[in-house]
Amino acid sequence: MTRKSRGAVRRPAETPAPSAASASAASPAKRRHLWLAVGVAVLLAIAGIGVVVTRPVALPSPAAASVPAPASYVGANSCQTCHQSEFAAWTGSHHQLAMQEATDSSVLGDFANVEFTHRGVESRFFKSPDGQFMVRTDGPDGKLADYPISYTFGVYPLQQYLTAFPGGRYQVLPIAWDSRPGSEGGQRWFHLYPDQKLDHKDPLHWTGIYQNWALQCAECHSTNLRKAYDAPSNSYQTTFSEINVACESCHGPASAHLSWASKAKAPYAAHDDKGLLSLKSGGSGAWHFPDREAKFAVRDQPADPAGMNSCGACHSRRATLSEARQAGAPLSDSHRLAMLTAPNYYPDGQQREEVYVWGSFLQSKMHQRGVTCMDCHEPHSQKLRAEGNALCTRCHQASEFDAPKHHRHQDGGKGAQCVTCHMPSQNYMVVHARPDHSLRIPRPDLSTALGSPNACTQCHADKQPAWAAAAMDGWYGKTWRDRPHYGFTLHAGETQGVRALPSLLELASSTAQPAIVRATALTLAQPYAGPATLPAARALLLDSDPLVRSAALGMLERTDPLNRALSASPLLLDPVRGVRIEAARILADVPDSQLPAGRQAAREAALQEYVAALEQEADWPAVNVNLGNLRLRQGRFDAAIAAFQRAIVLDKSFTGGYVNLADAWRQQGRESEAEEVLRAGLAVLPDAADLHHVLGLLLTRKGESGAALKEFVEAVRLAPDNARYAYVQAIALHSAGKREAALAVLRDANKRHANDLEILSALISISRETGDQRAALRYARQAAEILPNDQNVEQLVRELEGR
């Protein structure tokens, strides 16, 4: 789940694995739109020829005849007899129609020889003489060709179409059918990238790697999906038990339940699990008002979180760790959830890119107070349990909240609807409006401070946030502005560098805040972690939430091996896979002799889980970079180089592959190979600032300072907001004897990056060198504001003051 656009890396080290629900690891900033296949699940892209419908059954071993066989998948029809009402509700739902074979009954689009033109490409939708749905459009060579439609993806408000390609792939067409009524602008073909021209050479072209069904979205549109990607042949043998999202997607394999049902008789024992996770939430009647004056309902008994974890596995921006997801298990056991960072989220946690609900809902007061997905959504039909404000007033007293004294708008109008203010929608995939499930109170003041949107001016588009804030002052007084919000701290973490570290650690330690907020704070703090942050990190390793424990492990990455081993090794035995994997990753290079007794085996087991997760997702270029970085940590250079090379083979436009491969060669002292890699990358990506910067470093090591400086200048030109690049350019200028030019670059960078200690350090040093003590003191005092308790900085200030 990378935070950066295509080709960006976090230094030549660990590149985060991309979400299976996202193409952002491969797409530049201007292409951060996700191709969701509507319906329920989430996502879209497409690939995997030969999707084989299977019903895998684990056979018991003769040597273990006394051990019950693992439960197997039996299919939704096996559930129908005993669960008729649930089956009827599911039939026709977005889950049931998530993916279908292309037939006259499933295809919604107009294939009556209809033409559609986008950016000079004339596509035509028609049916062959034998009734096959077809499209004529530009193929992988850029030429027009006819492609049969194999499957539909989603139903409303749009439907997409998959076509078979060699190697077990299915690719998704970039042209989708708007299935909304004509009165709402629907019943038309439209392009998912209306403002972009993606030719056949672009990896985001519909025939390219990032529009691959098995790579991107298959996991969440079918039941018991196994990607079965084979890296050596770069092909798929993808299987699923059922083509759609059926009963066992949420409840797990049901063979044990069928066996129980054939023998059990009522009344059932309280401890009887019936051979299946029930996912009970009591959503239809779990809440009640304790008295007539109560503003809020209360839950009769705590909700079982198992059901929501089943929802979150697909309705989230995340990366897959294991296909062997257990129904009801913590999400972190099978997936790595994206944090609330840019570009996916605004600084206050509102949705920005398509984040699929779950990360938003985890921030909400509703989630904190025990509300579950199934309290609002009937789980089998996915329909709301009530329409309009009636849904909210099941738990919020209508006389208090569904009234003008609260919403301050005319009754019956859009402004009087709870969701308008508390769940503002944003369109994804052009026509799919998705409400923000963080269910927040509007804060127009944050729009001014943080640049985030607010519900008020999303409706009143001709007004400014200050207008909305003034209106709220008139309604509520000004105390609402004083309510603390974690958005200020997260924004500081993304903009203020090390200055934000104390507030980030304070937020991460606050158990009153949502776990995803705390984990995000730790993620933002990781680049500034060091010996001084070790006590805080160790305390958070004991947190009850796996998101926080995983992020706390990241705080240890730059710690010395012994402290890493002592602090992180207990989490090699964590009950949650995602935590074990992160512990293994940061301990991969620690010698066995420094691990506590008995932990070597635990590390090996957790490393095997990590490698299995990477190999399962080896069709992602960024995951190959992760594998390469792991092998580098382990000293396995040949394996690391092979992994980085494979990332480039999969996507020649993936900058991270070139940067990490060049760094691997550098570590072996093979600079000529490193330079060859970087120049090959620049031939494909001439505007990649990362490549220019790293090439400049290489040329500096070679003593070619003039050529190096040109690369540093180009890197800054292409990435003017990168403080590190400006710093390196200034140092190169200074080394070339161009001291005033270096100072000019540093002063300009300091204006844009006022909290960057490297830039300040260089300014202090060069200012002293030129005899400008006053400037050196000014910059030293600026550094002291950033590090108020640093003794070295304080001593420097005293020296410059002449004390």
Side-chain angles (χ1 to χ4, degrees):
M1 250 165 296
T2 178
R3 291 172 50 202
K4 302 188 178 182
S5 61
R6 176 173 60 189
V9 292
R10 296 179 176 176
R11 59 188 178 279
E14 190 75 2
T15 299
S19 166
S22 160
S24 66
S27 56
K30 68 178 180 179
R31 297 175 181 167
R32 289 187 187 124
H33 305 292
L34 281 219
W35 322 287
L36 312 190
V38 184
V40 243
V42 247
L43 352 135
L44 170 159
I46 321 292
I49 213 171
V51 173
V52 183
V53 180
T54 65
R55 197 169 286 173
V57 178
L59 299 178
S61 167
S66 60
V67 178
S72 57
Y73 288 79
V74 298
N77 289 335
S78 298
C79 308
Q80 182 177 7
T81 301
C82 296
H83 302 281
Q84 293 182 9
S85 61
E86 290 84 355
F87 189 91
W90 170 75
T91 302
S93 70
H94 284 186
H95 277 174
Q96 196 252 331
L97 303 176
M99 181 172 171
Q100 304 174 80
E101 293 184 2
T103 65
D104 288 338
S105 61
S106 66
V107 172
L108 303 180
D110 186 353
F111 281 78
N113 207 31
V114 175
E115 293 185 350
F116 178 87
T117 301
H118 175 75
R119 302 278 177 167
V121 176
E122 295 182 358
S123 301
R124 184 166 59 91
F125 296 87
F126 64 100
K127 293 180 75 172
S128 66
D130 62 356
Q132 172 74 56
F133 290 93
M134 304 287 294
V135 62
R136 182 169 181 79
T137 192
D138 59 326
D141 57 0
K143 298 178 181 179
L144 293 178
D146 295 343
Y147 297 93
I149 302 299
S150 300
Y151 295 102
T152 67
F153 222 58
V155 287
Y156 188 87
L158 69 155
Q159 185 175 70
Q160 296 172 276
Y161 301 96
L162 316 184
T163 185
F165 270 65
R169 286 172 168 75
Y170 284 91
Q171 301 293 123
V172 67
L173 289 169
I175 306 165
W177 177 254
D178 186 340
S179 54
R180 299 174 302 165
S183 60
E184 297 178 15
Q187 300 302 299
R188 64 186 177 110
W189 292 105
F190 70 99
H191 204 283
L192 292 165
Y193 300 91
D195 301 323
Q196 300 173 42
K197 183 174 182 178
L198 305 174
D199 66 22
H200 65 284
K201 298 178 182 179
D202 195 304
L204 282 179
H205 187 259
W206 79 275
T207 61
I209 180 174
Y210 299 112
Q211 302 286 4
N212 176 319
W213 167 73
L215 177 90
Q216 286 275 19
C217 49
E219 177 184 357
C220 286
H221 278 253
S222 299
T223 300
N224 185 32
L225 186 123
R226 296 295 184 264
K227 184 193 292 188
Y229 174 68
D230 180 66
S233 64
N234 191 25
S235 64
Y236 298 84
Q237 290 292 328
T238 306
T239 65
F240 47 67
S241 296
E242 292 183 90
I243 193 173
N244 50 20
V245 181
C247 311
E248 293 163 295
S249 284
C250 301
H251 293 278
S255 62
H257 178 64
L258 288 187
S259 178
W260 170 88
S262 67
K263 304 171 186 176
K265 295 182 180 180
Y268 312 121
H271 63 274
D272 192 342
D273 65 4
K274 303 180 177 62
L276 195 69
L277 185 68
S278 66
L279 304 180
K280 289 182 178 178
S281 74
S284 59
W287 296 81
H288 72 279
F289 291 97
D291 56 65
R292 296 180 61 182
E293 304 300 320
K295 293 183 178 180
F296 305 101
V298 295
R299 183 180 280 279
D300 292 327
Q301 56 186 3
D304 182 355
M308 289 201 297
N309 286 327
S310 292
C311 301
C314 280
H315 292 269
S316 62
R317 184 96 173 219
R318 80 291 184 277
T320 302
L321 301 176
S322 173
E323 291 177 334
R325 177 168 60 90
Q326 298 296 315
L331 180 61
S332 295
D333 197 57
S334 56
H335 296 84
R336 180 185 292 112
L337 187 64
M339 296 292 99
L340 308 178
T341 53
N344 293 335
Y345 294 88
Y346 286 100
D348 63 351
Q350 290 188 73
Q351 65 183 9
R352 186 175 182 180
E353 302 298 321
E354 174 54 278
V355 291
Y356 313 101
V357 175
W358 186 239
S360 300
F361 185 60
L362 289 179
Q363 302 172 59
S364 70
K365 287 185 178 180
M366 303 297 104
H367 180 265
Q368 299 298 100
R369 295 178 181 177
V371 175
T372 72
C373 307
M374 291 177 279
D375 288 328
C376 297
H377 299 269
E378 201 289 318
H380 301 100
S381 67
Q382 294 95 61
K383 294 179 180 178
L384 292 173
R385 292 192 181 273
E387 293 300 319
N389 288 355
L391 178 66
C392 305
T393 56
R394 295 167 73 241
C395 291
H396 297 256
Q397 191 64 255
S399 60
E400 186 71 25
F401 296 101
D402 192 10
K405 66 177 181 179
H406 174 72
H407 55 64
R408 308 285 176 164
H409 289 77
Q410 182 178 353
D411 269 334
K414 181 180 178 181
Q417 293 298 305
C418 304
V419 295
T420 301
C421 295
H422 299 291
M423 299 180 71
S425 293
Q426 182 167 322
N427 271 16
Y428 299 100
M429 299 189 74
V430 184
V431 301
H432 193 187
R434 289 183 179 261
D436 191 320
H437 277 62
S438 55
L439 297 114
R440 60 185 65 234
I441 296 171
R443 288 290 299 268
D445 59 322
L446 297 187
S447 296
T448 302
L450 308 180
S452 54
N454 71 86
C456 306
T457 55
Q458 282 180 278
C459 275
H460 300 275
D462 59 332
K463 304 294 185 182
Q464 297 298 315
W467 168 85
M472 290 180 65
D473 290 341
W475 297 338
Y476 310 118
K478 294 189 177 182
T479 56
W480 66 273
R481 295 174 180 259
D482 299 327
R483 291 195 300 264
H485 196 285
Y486 52 78
F488 291 105
T489 300
L490 298 184
H491 182 251
E494 292 194 332
T495 60
Q496 295 184 13
V498 70
R499 182 194 288 266
L501 183 59
S503 59
L504 288 170
L505 293 178
E506 182 181 1
L507 177 59
S509 300
S510 174
T511 55
Q513 296 292 342
I516 190 172
V517 172
R518 300 170 60 213
T520 300
L522 282 173
T523 300
L524 293 171
Q526 287 171 5
Y528 316 109
T533 61
L534 188 57
R538 282 175 170 163
L540 291 166
L541 292 174
L542 305 176
D543 198 84
S544 61
D545 194 281
L547 286 177
V548 176
R549 296 198 299 276
S550 292
L553 282 165
M555 293 285 290
L556 304 175
E557 185 157 3
R558 299 183 181 185
T559 307
D560 64 275
L562 182 57
N563 270 308
R564 248 189 299 152
L566 293 174
S567 302
S569 61
L571 278 75
L572 293 167
L573 300 171
D574 196 276
V576 177
R577 185 195 319 264
V579 180
R580 296 193 300 270
I581 282 176
E582 181 65 0
R585 185 186 69 81
I586 69 166
L587 293 173
D589 59 344
V590 174
D592 283 351
S593 61
Q594 293 190 13
L595 287 174
R599 293 286 159 77
Q600 293 92 336
R603 179 176 66 173
E604 180 58 31
L607 279 172
Q608 289 180 10
E609 289 184 300
Y610 183 35
V611 172
L614 296 174
E615 290 179 343
Q616 173 187 284
E617 299 293 288
D619 46 351
W620 278 97
V623 171
N624 284 275
V625 169
N626 283 350
L627 178 60
N629 289 327
L630 173 65
R631 296 314 187 198
L632 277 183
R633 280 176 176 264
Q634 296 174 314
R636 298 173 57 181
F637 291 106
D638 289 346
I641 287 170
F644 295 141
Q645 289 173 333
R646 177 168 166 69
I648 296 170
V649 169
L650 288 172
D651 180 4
K652 291 182 179 180
S653 64
F654 182 53
T655 309
Y658 297 102
V659 171
N660 284 272
L661 177 56
D663 190 63
W665 286 127
R666 177 196 63 80
Q667 291 184 37
Q668 293 184 284
R670 298 171 66 171
E671 295 282 15
S672 60
E673 284 91 339
E675 184 173 356
E676 182 180 341
V677 166
L678 293 173
R679 295 197 182 280
L682 284 168
V684 179
L685 301 162
D687 293 332
D690 292 336
L691 295 179
H692 285 287
H693 177 74
V694 176
L695 179 58
L697 296 176
L698 183 148
L699 293 172
T700 300
R701 294 192 297 271
K702 290 178 64 177
E704 299 177 18
S705 57
L709 181 56
K710 291 180 180 179
E711 298 298 331
F712 294 142
V713 170
E714 185 66 3
V716 171
R717 185 186 72 81
L718 292 167
D721 293 330
N722 190 307
R724 175 69 178 176
Y725 291 177
Y727 165 78
V728 171
Q729 179 193 357
I731 297 303
L733 286 166
H734 181 265
S735 299
K738 301 178 180 180
R739 193 162 56 189
E740 288 305 316
L743 281 171
V745 169
L746 289 168
R747 291 184 190 117
D748 180 66
N750 185 46
K751 292 177 183 177
R752 290 179 287 112
H753 309 284
N755 299 293
D756 190 280
L757 291 174
E758 280 189 325
I759 291 171
L760 284 173
S761 177
L763 281 167
I764 294 168
S765 177
I766 298 177
S767 296
R768 295 182 76 178
E769 182 182 300
T770 62
D772 191 347
Q773 295 292 100
R774 180 178 298 179
L777 177 58
R778 184 171 69 251
Y779 295 128
R781 286 173 174 166
Q782 187 178 338
E785 292 178 3
I786 298 170
L787 299 174
N789 299 312
D790 189 284
Q791 295 181 357
N792 292 327
V793 176
E794 290 175 354
Q795 176 63 30
L796 175 62
V797 171
R798 287 194 294 269
E799 288 179 9
L800 291 170
E801 289 176 337
R803 289 189 283 149

